[in-house]
Amino acid sequence: KNISAEDLTAKKELALEVIRRLKAEYPDAGCTLDYDHAWQLLVSVRLAAQCTDARVNIVVQDLFAKYPSVAALAEAEPEDIEAIVKPCGLGRSKARDISACMRMLRDKYDCKVPTTFEELLALPGVGRKSANLIMGDVFGKPAIVTDTHCIRLCNKIGLVDGIKEPQKVEMALWKIVPPEEGSDLCHRFVMFSFIFSLLIGALAGSIAGRIMGSETSALRNIVLGILGSFVGGILFGLVGLSATGLVGEIIVSVIGACVCIWAGRKLFR
């Protein structure tokens, strides 16, 4: 929807203040997905859908070791790719998209990643979020990556008002965020959200301690809860499930924390 000139000006000022504060807190903005080549980032960002970047970084180590180039990965069967990427969740569809994407890079672009936004969008499994990430991080172009962290925080802060659709959030942010700041701002949103995720893990540890009737200390439950947020995500990924939203994150973390507390009892009894 259209907003008044006064509201647009206020949101621009708010955006600049958010940028200033996040820059001060996180001066070294950067992508939290590990990659050495553009095609690897293309693969990782597809795997990161409904999966943590930390887990993706672990999974792709085996994938890239076995298939160290676009050509090698293009030759792989989707089933072989799925066997490796299954812990990221939605393994079948992600493997299918990765296979088709690598084959298009091989057949149409001589194993290189195209440099325009439109060409990136035409690749299998690549949406606006992925295309913006490649444009900003690989090619240094203006970009706004509207992932779940960005959408959630922009609504909380007031940069957008009740908008949940990624493309609509992106279009709204283009109007108020300086183009040269967009890519780094979105990375800083991810960094800020990581701290939030640790708090969820701590909460999950406390809840799990009550559920399990844990005799361990509160501090150990908190540590196990933080670990549980990762363990729970991996367990859900192994059975092809994923969780979205705050409640889903807490449920996954509590389940993972319960597993960790049970394992901790067995190990340290």
Side-chain angles (χ1 to χ4, degrees), residues 132-170:
N132 269 301
L133 183 65
I134 297 295
M135 292 300 293
D137 278 60
V138 175
F139 302 122
K141 303 293 185 180
I144 291 178
V145 181
T146 49
D147 58 12
T148 55
H149 306 292
C150 176
I151 294 170
R152 180 188 299 166
L153 288 174
C154 284
N155 276 278
K156 289 285 187 183
I157 295 169
L159 296 177
V160 299
D161 300 312
I163 305 176
K164 304 298 183 181
E165 298 86 346
Q167 185 171 349
K168 290 183 179 180
V169 173
E170 179 192 336

Side-chain angles (χ1 to χ4, degrees), residues 165-186:
E165 298 86 346
Q167 185 171 349
K168 290 183 179 180
V169 173
E170 179 192 336
M171 295 301 106
L173 292 179
W174 279 120
K175 297 177 182 178
I176 62 175
V177 174
E180 68 277 7
E181 298 287 356
S183 181
D184 285 349
L185 174 62
C186 294

Side-chain angles (χ1 to χ4, degrees), residues 33-264:
L33 292 169
D34 297 334
Y35 67 98
D36 295 318
H37 306 285
W39 69 269
Q40 293 177 335
L41 181 58
L42 204 55
V43 170
S44 291
V45 73
R46 179 66 186 95
L47 294 176
Q50 300 184 34
C51 179
T52 65
D53 290 356
R55 198 187 324 159
V56 170
N57 288 336
I58 294 172
V59 170
V60 296
Q61 291 178 19
D62 291 337
L63 183 68
F64 297 153
K66 187 171 183 179
Y67 305 109
S69 67
V70 170
L73 193 51
E75 288 294 325
E77 292 299 325
E79 294 78 11
D80 295 328
I81 298 173
E82 181 185 355
I84 299 175
V85 305
K86 189 176 181 180
C88 293
L90 307 175
R92 181 170 299 178
S93 63
K94 290 180 179 181
R96 184 178 62 244
D97 287 342
I98 290 169
S99 176
C101 182
M102 294 300 106
R103 290 175 183 181
M104 183 176 284
L105 292 186
R106 178 194 62 189
D107 299 338
K108 189 174 181 179
Y109 296 104
D110 192 28
C111 293
K112 296 180 176 61
V113 175
T115 59
T116 70
F117 191 78
E118 292 71 24
E119 288 176 308
L120 288 169
L121 279 181
L123 295 173
V126 176
R128 297 188 66 88
K129 182 184 77 171
S130 302
N132 269 301
L133 183 65
I134 297 295
M135 292 300 293
D137 278 60
V138 175
F139 302 122
K141 303 293 185 180
I144 291 178
V145 181
T146 49
D147 58 12
T148 55
H149 306 292
C150 176
I151 294 170
R152 180 188 299 166
L153 288 174
C154 284
N155 276 278
K156 289 285 187 183
I157 295 169
L159 296 177
V160 299
D161 300 312
I163 305 176
K164 304 298 183 181
E165 298 86 346
Q167 185 171 349
K168 290 183 179 180
V169 173
E170 179 192 336
M171 295 301 106
L173 292 179
W174 279 120
K175 297 177 182 178
I176 62 175
V177 174
E180 68 277 7
E181 298 287 356
S183 181
D184 285 349
L185 174 62
C186 294
H187 287 323
R188 291 186 173 105
F189 279 151
V190 173
M191 295 176 184
F192 180 84
S193 294
F194 176 72
I195 303 300
F196 183 72
S197 295
L198 292 181
L199 294 177
I200 290 178
L203 173 63
S206 297
I207 295 173
R210 291 178 179 273
I211 293 173
M212 299 292 287
S214 177
E215 299 174 0
T216 58
S217 68
L219 177 60
R220 179 174 290 182
N221 283 342
I222 290 173
V223 173
L224 288 170
I226 294 172
L227 178 60
S229 66
F230 296 101
V231 171
I234 291 173
L235 291 174
F236 270 56
L238 287 174
V239 295
L241 298 176
S242 59
T244 58
L246 179 59
V247 174
E249 291 179 26
I250 293 175
I251 290 172
V252 169
S253 297
V254 169
I255 292 173
C258 287
V259 171
C260 289
I261 291 172
W262 173 82

